[in-house]
Amino acid sequence: MSKQSSFINIRFMRQFIISKCLENNLTLAEDPFIDDDHNLTELGVHIFSWDFCIEMFKSKKFNKSHSIEQNKRMIEYFYSKWLESERTTDMKLNIEQIPFLMDQNNRLQLTKYIYFPVETIGNSGGTGCKESFVNENIFHWLNEYQNSKLKEWLQMLGITERTDLTFLLKTIIPNSTTYINRENAIATIEKLFVLFQKGIIGKNELGQLKTLKLLTTRGALRPAEKFYFSDKFNPQLPLEVYLETIQDIFLSFDYVTSNLSCVEKENLSEWRRFFSMMGVHENLYLIKFDFDHIITSDEAIQYEFSPDYVLRPSPNGRRIANAYSGLKIISFLQHTTGKTFCVKVNGIFCVLYHSR
């Protein structure tokens, strides 16, 4: 980076280098930076590399001292360097790895972690917002006619307005296991359901949210794929009445009633279809145990398979099976007693009786 880069405070840069090299008792001249010269490099003059530069940009002290006007010049600088890198193969500039765009909290962000501010459902750029948005002053500056090329360049780098769809694709799906908390649980699903109703998202997007946490009827958070519909959703097989005191895995109906005065039958069907695409179960299903090896009868019993099943003699009574693979059970089978089930296996309907 050239010493003429006016968006860098030279004194801060010098102090940053000293702080990084405390163990070496490094001393530096008051103005230690010179233009790049290959001959001087061979003589041992150090290079302030891009790795050092990126680390400095991420530091709290740099962000605190970096002004809006300096950030404007920084954007212009990297745009010019990017143009140079496009014209020649000699210069390699990985702009996606450099945090150079100021957000609403005056922190520098990578282009993949920041949005242009826009009015959308929910918070869209306040200082207390969890997501990062381009600083309002920087945004207005980019919208000026003479800076249109800069904004087009940033858009080319992937910065978009934070619509609910881009937010889903860019933030929620990549962080589906950790994004939901009790504060945003209802509001997030409401936004996604609106997108679903409008046909903007469907099975492809919702199928990537099986690990997104949902609220149970008791208020706990669990991954969507671990849920069953509570009876208020009118599922094909109502299970809540039998199992609600045993397992906390039934989907809260608050998602439906949070902003609706009444629940229409057609709308309830849409909610079931929506949640089903996220992995919520409406019926019993076969659970396959994918062991990485053939297990013995004793191991199967340790996995809570009943000895009545795994120690059964062969039809002629001469042998007892002692090794198993591809074991499957019906969900909730352990909670049933004296029930008969009809299960389709490999195209054949089998009647099972569970006596325990």
Side-chain angles (χ1 to χ4, degrees), residues 95-160:
I95 195 68
E96 288 83 4
Q97 301 300 318
I98 302 174
F100 70 92
L101 198 54
M102 183 180 284
D103 69 8
Q104 75 272 26
N105 297 308
N106 296 340
R107 294 192 297 258
L108 298 182
Q109 299 289 346
L110 298 172
T111 55
K112 64 181 178 180
Y113 293 141
I114 195 167
Y115 298 96
F116 287 127
V118 66
E119 289 301 321
T120 58
I121 302 172
N123 204 335
S124 61
T127 54
C129 185
K130 189 175 181 180
E131 294 79 41
S132 295
F133 294 85
V134 175
N135 183 282
E136 185 177 359
N137 292 306
I138 298 294
F139 183 63
H140 290 321
W141 173 73
L142 289 170
N143 283 329
E144 294 175 5
Y145 177 77
Q146 66 271 23
N147 297 321
S148 59
K149 291 294 183 182
L150 292 174
K151 187 175 182 182
E152 289 173 7
W153 171 61
L154 293 173
Q155 289 172 326
M156 185 275 298
L157 292 177
I159 302 178
T160 60

Side-chain angles (χ1 to χ4, degrees), residues 163-314:
T163 64
D164 292 323
L165 178 59
T166 58
F167 186 64
L168 167 66
L169 300 176
K170 197 172 179 180
T171 302
I172 298 180
I173 289 178
N175 302 286
S176 61
T177 58
T178 58
Y179 179 76
I180 292 294
N181 53 52
R182 283 183 173 80
E183 287 69 35
N184 66 14
I186 297 291
T188 299
I189 294 301
E190 286 178 344
K191 295 175 189 176
L192 297 182
F193 186 66
V194 169
L195 294 177
F196 172 72
Q197 284 185 308
K198 292 179 178 179
I200 298 173
I201 63 173
K203 188 175 182 179
N204 180 52
E205 293 80 13
L206 294 174
Q208 299 178 64
L209 295 175
K210 294 183 184 296
T211 58
L212 190 74
K213 289 184 174 63
L214 301 175
L215 284 169
T216 70
T217 52
R218 300 184 200 172
L221 290 170
R222 303 190 190 285
E225 60 187 354
K226 302 294 184 183
F227 273 83
Y228 284 80
F229 285 108
S230 56
D231 290 357
K232 287 184 178 180
F233 281 93
N234 294 334
Q236 290 181 354
L237 182 62
L239 293 169
E240 183 184 13
V241 65
Y242 304 106
L243 298 168
E244 61 179 335
T245 60
I246 301 174
Q247 293 195 14
D248 185 21
I249 54 172
F250 293 99
L251 185 63
S252 172
F253 201 63
D254 290 346
Y255 291 111
V256 180
T257 59
S258 60
N259 61 355
L260 296 173
S261 57
C262 62
V263 180
E264 298 179 359
K265 185 176 181 180
E266 294 78 8
N267 198 44
L268 192 58
S269 176
E270 282 294 281
W271 276 105
R272 284 201 307 272
R273 196 161 71 92
F274 169 76
F275 281 121
S276 293
M277 291 181 183
M278 293 176 63
V280 177
H281 301 288
E282 190 171 10
N283 213 326
L284 299 176
Y285 65 99
L286 286 176
I287 301 174
K288 182 179 179 181
F289 289 80
D290 292 319
F291 301 110
D292 57 2
H293 62 285
I294 295 176
I295 64 171
T296 65
S297 300
D298 290 339
E299 287 177 313
I301 293 172
Q302 289 176 10
Y303 283 105
E304 299 185 358
F305 283 91
S306 170
D308 294 343
Y309 294 136
V310 297
L311 295 177
R312 296 178 71 87
S314 60

Side-chain angles (χ1 to χ4, degrees), residues 58-87:
K58 290 180 178 179
S59 68
K60 290 182 179 179
K61 288 185 178 179
F62 183 86
N63 279 271
K64 190 174 181 179
S65 66
H66 190 64
S67 70
I68 289 173
E69 291 304 314
Q70 287 174 326
N71 192 238
K72 292 177 183 178
R73 293 193 290 272
M74 179 184 278
I75 294 169
E76 291 172 333
Y77 172 85
F78 282 117
Y79 175 61
S80 66
K81 289 299 179 184
W82 179 82
L83 289 176
E84 288 181 30
S85 67
E86 289 292 291
R87 289 192 292 264

Side-chain angles (χ1 to χ4, degrees), residues 334-345:
Q334 70 272 29
H335 299 306
T336 62
T337 302
K339 300 293 182 182
T340 301
F341 297 92
C342 183
V343 182
K344 189 176 183 181
V345 181

